[in-house]
Amino acid sequence: MIPGKYRSVSGRAANNVNCGLHLVIQTSSLPEKSKVEFKLNKETPSFSGRLLQHDLERNYSSRQGDHITLASSSMPSFPILQRSSEEKILYSDRLTLERQKLTVCPIIDGEEHLRLLNFQHNFITRIQNISNLQRLIFLDLYDNQIEEISGLSTLRSLRVLLLGKNRIKKISNLENLKSLDVLDLHGNQITKIENVSHLCDLRVLNLARNLLSHVDNLNGLDSLTELNLRHNQITFVRDVDNLPCLQRLFLSFNNISTFESVCCLADSSSLSDITFDGNPIAQESWYKHTVLQNMTQLRQLDMKRVTEEERRMASVVAKKEEEKKRESHKQSLLKEKKRLTINNVARQWDLQQHRISSIAPNQDGKVSDCPQDPSQLRGSTVSAFPEETGSLDSGLTSALQGLSVTDTHLVEVDGDTLSLYGSGALESLDRNWSVQTAGMVTTVSFTFIEFDEIVQVLPKLKIKFPNSLHLKFKETNLVMLQQFNALAQLRRVDQLTVDPQGNPVVNFTLWKYYVLFRLSHFSMQKINGTEVTQNDMIMAERLFGILAHVASSELPQYRLISILGDARKKQFRYLLETKGKKPGLVNEENSDSKRLVGENTNRATLNYTTRDFYNARLEEIKEKKKFCKMYMEDLVKEATEINMKNEALQKLWPQMFIELVRDAVIEIRNKSSYMKLCLQQITDQK
């Protein structure tokens, strides 16, 4: 049988993939005219005539073992190869030792002219005894038990090295094989691509069915056109975009799950054929569109030709995905901005509370509503808003630079909830809110804001958001029951939530009952998520009813009217006028009045004055006292002067009276002269 033609080193059967290397061995029918012709064709064949099977498991069609004798040598472990003269003439440039059950490479003497050597399907554990074959171009050691690449340093002419299906764990000792064109290492135990950057002429590299987890260290393979990485454990790919001639890349049956892990492929201008089938990424709905959109030069994807319609659809889907990605990025940016702002507000709040706690002991107890335990004011801002551990992409990070320094408050409307963080957020109540937004808000949440500052904007809250029924307080320094009195000025409150964090008042056992008593005119439904029952209302009245009675009965009328304000003066006068009437009539009229006004008059005397307002009132009182003192001093001084003048007059008056009488007698003694003088004075006056 005439030896067959080696069309490819990329498969086991004759129809396997042509990897670009043609080793043609032609033998004439006459042995004496035999010749072997090796043609290394670097032109890439058409893909239509090839299958994507790159496991390079060549089963050579010719068998030469019948014409070869292995004789014993002086070295008992190495047999000596002996060929007949006829076979040397017939197969002068090639030697096939396939399926000979060899455990070592035999000693090959007198065969220095060999250009093709085949050791397929043996049990060889080490490459040796071939260093003298310096003309060797094709070496096939497929399906052996080799554990290390060695013994090849002298084979500088070697172009094809087939070491598939062995036990090799590391790529090494290829430094001198700079002319290598095909390197097949499939079916081994290699975990890392290394020591191949010097193979600048290498065109085909097969690393299928190994233990690779990532792809890198490919720089320097400037001639590589085909790279087979099928059936590995690859999760990401790098450096492939640095291969200027790479056309075919096979990544089937790996662990690639995202396009970002292979994004370098999009930067390759030469890549035309690629496979991802058998990877998690291939199961995603966006897989094909994303690949085609990012790799516009592809002609084949997963062994199928890419059509223009597929490219068009990929472009449409990519635009939608890009819009979705931009929106997602925007939402991520807003979310991160919110997180950073809240953390910044929390830090400022914590610093403020530390400052208050350091000042409070120096007040000498003059401010009665100063908290006794400053540590309660600080709360635990770190645990409330912990830093997220998730990493951000570089674009999002750059967009957020400087944010934590500038943003000191946050206003957020989420559904029916208005959230205010930081005292600066209270200024938002002065905005021109749309009727729709304002009417939609039913819950208002205050965080990291002093309650005294909140009290000042409650009238605005009642006007701007008339449908607000639920108030939430967290880190607001609610420290005493008296502060709840300020909520009575709202239009309506159905629910109240006071977070224990930063609000020590909730540590009081009876605080809920006080709220129910003081805000009974709201008919509150829930406090801290718990339903309010009729028994709760009765208990609240029993506990604090006497307090309201004492507060209202002990105050003088003018003081009571000033506390109630103009809106209650008419009602109060009406109550005073009803004294002495029949009890039934009085109760009925009081009930009608309560329905009209809403808040009980006795409870209305329980009000809350903020610290700033109280301090302002103190300053005003001091100014009035100072003015009164000065006015009284002026009056006393003036009265003293008048008294002194009166005493002086009493002493001088007798003498003055005598002189007045004397002067009058002298003037009228000469009647004619006196009359002339009077007439003259009258004339002068005219």
Side-chain angles (χ1 to χ4, degrees):
M1 179 178 178
I2 299 175
K5 181 185 295 184
Y6 288 85
R7 295 178 53 247
S8 171
V9 294
S10 302
R12 181 163 183 164
N15 60 348
N16 278 5
V17 179
N18 190 331
C19 64
L21 173 65
H22 294 266
L23 294 177
V24 182
I25 302 176
Q26 294 179 341
T27 306
S28 64
S29 58
L30 297 176
E32 64 273 9
K33 295 182 180 180
S34 65
K35 68 175 181 178
V36 180
E37 180 182 0
F38 290 83
K39 294 182 180 180
L40 296 174
N41 183 8
K42 292 191 177 183
E43 295 181 1
T44 304
S46 62
F47 190 82
S48 59
R50 301 184 292 117
L51 297 176
L52 289 181
Q53 175 61 36
H54 288 263
D55 291 345
L56 302 184
E57 301 172 358
R58 162 65 62 190
N59 182 11
Y60 296 100
S61 59
S62 61
R63 296 292 300 273
Q64 302 175 20
D66 296 337
H67 305 279
I68 298 173
T69 302
L70 296 176
S72 300
S73 66
S74 59
M75 300 177 64
S77 59
F78 295 107
I80 299 176
L81 176 71
Q82 296 179 355
R83 290 202 297 174
S84 63
S85 300
E86 179 182 356
E87 185 172 354
K88 285 185 178 180
I89 295 174
L90 185 62
Y91 307 112
S92 60
D93 287 347
R94 63 177 294 177
L95 175 61
T96 298
L97 296 173
E98 179 181 347
R99 302 181 188 277
Q100 297 297 314
K101 299 181 180 180
L102 297 172
T103 58
V104 295
C105 295
I107 298 174
I108 304 175
D109 287 333
E111 302 279 0
E112 288 77 7
H113 55 281
L114 283 179
R115 305 185 74 183
L116 185 150
L117 180 59
N118 175 17
F119 284 115
Q120 277 195 24
H121 304 293
N122 283 287
F123 303 99
I124 298 172
T125 58
R126 185 177 179 183
I127 306 173
Q128 50 192 351
N129 298 328
I130 60 172
S131 58
N132 60 321
L133 307 178
Q134 298 183 10
R135 294 185 182 182
L136 199 64
I137 293 177
F138 191 110
L139 176 60
D140 189 349
L141 287 160
Y142 171 77
D143 190 18
N144 280 276
Q145 299 179 12
I146 298 170
E147 297 182 356
E148 181 184 9
I149 303 175
S150 60
L152 304 174
S153 59
T154 60
L155 307 182
R156 299 179 183 274
S157 299
L158 195 64
R159 300 294 300 277
V160 178
L161 177 59
L162 308 181
L163 289 168
K165 202 174 180 182
N166 278 277
R167 300 176 181 179
I168 299 170
K169 296 181 179 180
K170 182 178 180 180
I171 304 175
S172 60
N173 300 319
L174 299 176
E175 290 78 11
N176 294 332
L177 306 184
K178 296 182 179 180
S179 299
L180 207 58
D181 190 79
V182 176
L183 176 59
D184 176 21
L185 294 169
H186 83 277
N188 283 282
Q189 303 171 22
I190 299 171
T191 59
K192 182 180 179 181
I193 301 176
E194 56 186 341
N195 302 321
V196 294
S197 59
H198 63 286
L199 302 177
C200 55
D201 291 334
L202 189 67
R203 291 192 302 115
V204 178
L205 176 59
N206 188 356
L207 291 169
R209 298 183 184 277
N210 276 280
L211 303 176
L212 299 174
S213 60
H214 57 276
V215 178
D216 53 8
N217 296 327
L218 295 174
N219 294 324
L221 301 179
D222 296 338
S223 300
L224 193 66
T225 60
E226 181 174 310
L227 178 59
N228 188 351
L229 300 168
R230 300 169 72 244
H231 292 282
N232 276 278
Q233 302 168 13
I234 297 170
T235 57
F236 66 89
V237 177
R238 295 190 187 127
D239 296 343
V240 173
D241 52 323
N242 296 327
L243 303 176
C245 297
L246 186 65
Q247 299 178 15
R248 294 173 296 280
L249 176 62
F250 306 104
L251 290 165
S252 305
F253 302 100
N254 279 282
N255 294 328
I256 299 171
S257 57
T258 64
F259 186 79
E260 286 73 17
S261 60
V262 293
C263 60
C264 65
L265 302 180
D267 298 326
S268 175
S269 58
S270 59
L271 196 59
S272 60
D273 305 329
I274 194 168
T275 64
F276 284 113
D277 55 300
N279 283 274
I281 190 177
Q283 306 299 322
E284 301 290 345
S285 58
W286 45 263
Y287 156 66
K288 192 171 187 178
H289 303 302
T290 302
V291 172
L292 293 181
Q293 177 64 22
N294 288 276
M295 305 176 67
T296 56
Q297 77 280 9
L298 281 187
R299 294 181 303 172
Q300 301 277 348
L301 176 61
D302 295 337
M303 299 188 297
K304 296 180 181 178
R305 187 175 66 87
V306 179
T307 64
E308 291 301 321
E309 178 63 19
E310 288 175 331
R311 294 186 189 278
R312 188 187 67 81
M313 289 300 299
S315 178
V316 172
V317 173
K319 289 180 179 178
K320 293 182 179 180
E321 290 292 333
E322 184 64 24
E323 293 176 359
K324 185 178 179 181
K325 185 177 180 180
R326 282 197 299 267
E327 181 63 24
S328 177
H329 180 80
K330 180 180 178 182
Q331 293 301 323
S332 298
L333 182 63
L334 292 175
K335 182 179 179 181
E336 184 64 11
K337 181 178 179 180
K338 173 184 174 182
R339 186 186 69 83
L340 290 177
T341 302
I342 292 176
N343 285 341
N344 197 23
V345 174
R347 280 192 295 270
Q348 290 189 352
W349 172 263
D350 193 46
L351 290 174
Q352 179 184 0
Q353 300 313 303
H354 276 283
R355 192 160 53 247
I356 292 175
S357 64
S358 62
I359 294 174
N362 297 326
Q363 299 300 318
D364 296 329
K366 294 182 179 180
V367 182
S368 60
D369 56 351
C370 183
Q372 298 298 319
D373 186 2
S375 63
Q376 292 180 347
L377 292 175
R378 293 194 294 270
S380 179
T381 57
V382 176
S383 61
F385 298 97
E387 295 287 342
E388 295 179 7
T389 58
S391 60
L392 300 174
D393 57 55
S394 57
L396 186 60
T397 302
S398 60
L400 292 168
Q401 286 181 352
L403 180 64
S404 60
V405 180
T406 58
D407 286 10
T408 58
H409 63 273
L410 175 66
V411 180
E412 181 185 29
V413 178
D414 185 9
D416 61 350
T417 301
L418 171 65
S419 299
L420 304 175
Y421 298 88
S423 58
L426 297 177
E427 299 176 1
S428 65
L429 298 178
D430 293 327
R431 295 180 186 174
N432 294 324
W433 294 85
S434 65
V435 177
Q436 181 180 2
T437 302
M440 182 175 58
V441 173
T442 60
T443 301
V444 181
S445 175
F446 301 94
T447 308
F448 300 121
I449 308 174
E450 284 284 349
F451 185 79
D452 284 0
E453 297 182 24
I454 298 173
V455 171
Q456 299 175 16
V457 300
L458 289 179
K460 297 179 183 178
L461 184 67
K462 179 171 61 176
I463 297 172
K464 292 288 186 177
F465 303 98
N467 296 328
S468 58
L469 304 175
H470 186 187
L471 297 182
K472 294 182 177 181
F473 299 95
K474 182 177 183 179
E475 293 284 1
T476 56
N477 269 348
L478 272 165
V479 296
M480 54 186 177
L481 298 178
Q482 187 182 1
Q483 291 173 294
F484 290 112
N485 298 340
L487 302 180
Q489 58 184 301
L490 293 173
R491 187 186 305 272
R492 181 182 174 186
V493 178
D494 284 355
Q495 295 187 51
L496 182 66
T497 301
V498 182
D499 196 292
Q501 187 172 322
N503 296 306
V505 71
V506 300
N507 296 324
F508 300 157
T509 306
L510 304 178
W511 77 272
K512 293 184 181 180
Y513 293 111
Y514 183 80
V515 171
L516 292 175
F517 169 76
R518 182 61 185 87
L519 305 179
S520 61
H521 58 290
F522 289 151
S523 299
M524 201 170 294
Q525 299 176 4
K526 288 184 179 181
I527 295 181
N528 278 13
T530 304
E531 293 284 347
V532 176
T533 64
Q534 187 64 30
N535 291 335
D536 293 334
M537 298 299 297
I538 295 174
M539 180 62 70
E541 184 67 29
R542 288 179 179 176
L543 291 172
F544 297 102
I546 189 65
L547 175 65
H549 174 72
V550 171
S552 60
S553 61
E554 294 296 327
L555 287 176
Q557 179 178 344
Y558 78 92
R559 180 60 178 156
L560 190 59
I561 293 177
S562 66
I563 292 176
L564 295 177
D566 295 336
R568 298 297 177 84
K569 289 180 181 179
K570 184 176 180 181
Q571 180 195 11
F572 181 72
R573 291 197 179 101
Y574 173 79
L575 292 174
L576 293 178
E577 292 171 359
T578 57
K579 290 181 178 180
K581 294 186 178 181
K582 295 181 180 180
L585 181 60
V586 173
N587 291 338
E588 183 180 354
E589 291 174 347
N590 284 344
S591 179
D592 293 339
S593 176
K594 184 175 180 179
R595 281 197 298 269
L596 291 173
V597 181
E599 185 180 5
N600 183 275
T601 306
N602 291 342
R603 288 172 172 78
T605 60
L606 302 175
N607 60 359
Y608 174 64
T609 302
T610 64
R611 188 179 305 170
D612 293 339
F613 182 76
Y614 177 73
N615 292 336
R617 289 293 301 273
L618 288 178
E619 292 296 327
E620 183 181 353
I621 291 173
K622 288 180 181 179
E623 291 294 329
K624 288 182 178 181
K625 285 183 178 180
K626 183 178 179 180
F627 173 78
C628 291
K629 182 179 180 181
M630 293 177 62
Y631 181 71
M632 292 301 297
E633 288 177 351
D634 292 340
L635 289 178
V636 171
K637 184 178 179 181
E638 184 179 356
T640 303
E641 292 176 352
I642 292 174
N643 185 58
M644 292 175 62
K645 290 179 180 178
N646 184 43
E647 292 178 354
L649 179 61
Q650 294 297 328
K651 293 179 180 180
L652 296 175
W653 175 248
Q655 183 63 31
M656 291 175 60
F657 182 74
I658 294 172
E659 292 178 355
L660 287 173
V661 173
R662 186 192 63 188
D663 291 342
V665 172
I666 293 173
E667 286 179 353
I668 64 174
R669 184 173 54 182
N670 189 345
K671 187 175 182 180
S672 299
S673 299
Y674 179 71
M675 292 179 66
K676 287 181 180 180
L677 180 61
C678 291
L679 290 173
Q680 183 63 38
Q681 290 178 351
I682 293 172
T683 303
D684 294 340
Q685 290 178 358
K686 294 181 178 180

